[in-house]
Amino acid sequence: VYAKQFAWQARYAGADNTLGLGNVNFIDETNNPIGVDLSDPASLDDKPVTELHLPKGKKVLFKFRSQDVLHSAYMPHFRAQMNCVPGMITQFAFTPTITTEEMRQDEAVVDKVRRINEIRRENSKELAKKGEAPLEPYEFDYLLLCNKICGINHYNMQMKIIVESQEDYEAWLAEQPNMAEVLKEQ
């Protein structure tokens, strides 16, 4: 997982199960925004993604890097947090035990979502009076947040996390293009 003001990006190891090397010196915002070392053969089958998918019941190892300032990878529902330090790779692992869909059906989560959506409906009435678009209904998602005040848009630094069955995870991962395919498209 790669942190920069004010976004998260990620990549998964490819078929070789080896995450290719990366370095800030390789960053090119157009062609290589996360600084993957494209001369490393292990990098070409890695899969860059815009949201995290995790298989339920399987240990997941996260490796974190930062391009610019100190960030803090915070996953509140998993009670996990790790600093992302420029020039270093930090890491932790955990095993997700509840899928996103199971959490969405949890009685406490259902009640919280209902209360949030009541507030959003009321706020949407006020927005309509001003000629503004209504708020979209809220749906529970696991999130990766930045828990350091890393700059003026810190609060927008979020990435969706989906916990799913092993089968759904594998199907999703198979659909993601690898670095070689992404480069070929450019």
Side-chain angles (χ1 to χ4, degrees):
V1 179
Y2 186 74
K4 68 177 183 176
Q5 292 175 314
F6 297 97
W8 297 102
Q9 294 178 298
R11 66 185 161 117
Y12 287 76
D16 63 3
N17 202 31
T18 301
L19 196 60
L21 299 174
N23 188 302
V24 294
N25 294 320
F26 297 123
I27 292 173
D28 173 338
E29 286 302 324
T30 304
N31 298 317
N32 192 357
I34 54 178
V36 176
D37 181 350
L38 299 172
S39 68
D40 178 3
S43 295
L44 296 179
D45 69 346
D46 290 354
K47 298 185 174 214
V49 297
T50 57
E51 65 184 19
L52 294 172
H53 284 241
L54 309 177
K56 176 183 176 179
K58 185 173 180 184
K59 185 177 180 178
V60 180
L61 174 64
F62 292 88
K63 294 185 177 202
F64 296 98
R65 296 180 11 212
S66 173
Q67 174 183 335
D68 43 29
V69 300
L70 188 64
H71 296 279
S72 184
Y74 178 47
M75 300 176 197
H77 294 97
F78 303 112
R79 297 183 178 159
Q81 183 169 324
M82 176 62 63
N83 283 338
C84 306
V85 182
M88 291 180 62
I89 296 174
T90 56
Q91 66 183 38
F92 70 76
F94 68 85
T95 304
T97 59
I98 303 172
T99 68
T100 301
E101 286 305 316
E102 289 168 339
M103 278 296 282
R104 288 178 179 167
Q105 295 170 17
D106 179 87
E107 195 174 307
V109 172
V110 168
D111 186 53
K112 184 175 184 176
V113 168
R114 181 190 53 76
R115 287 183 282 128
I116 289 169
N117 282 323
E118 286 173 5
I119 294 167
R120 291 174 81 86
R121 276 190 293 279
E122 288 302 312
N123 290 343
S124 290
K125 291 176 187 175
E126 294 301 314
L127 291 172
K129 290 177 187 176
K130 299 176 188 175
E132 296 179 31
L135 298 170
E136 294 290 323
Y138 168 76
E139 182 174 54
F140 171 84
D141 283 312
Y142 290 115
L143 292 172
L144 166 61
L145 307 168
C146 182
N147 204 24
K148 291 275 189 246
I149 299 176
C150 60
I152 59 172
N153 282 320
H154 150 78
Y155 64 93
N156 280 326
M157 199 166 162
Q158 301 179 14
M159 180 180 263
K160 184 176 178 177
I161 302 172
I162 297 169
V163 178
E164 57 200 346
S165 69
Q166 183 71 35
E167 297 78 23
D168 288 345
Y169 166 77
E170 288 173 7
W172 171 82
L173 193 58
E175 293 174 358
Q176 305 311 305
N178 63 36
M179 289 298 297
E181 293 164 335
V182 169
L183 291 170
K184 188 183 286 186
E185 291 173 6
Q186 297 175 354

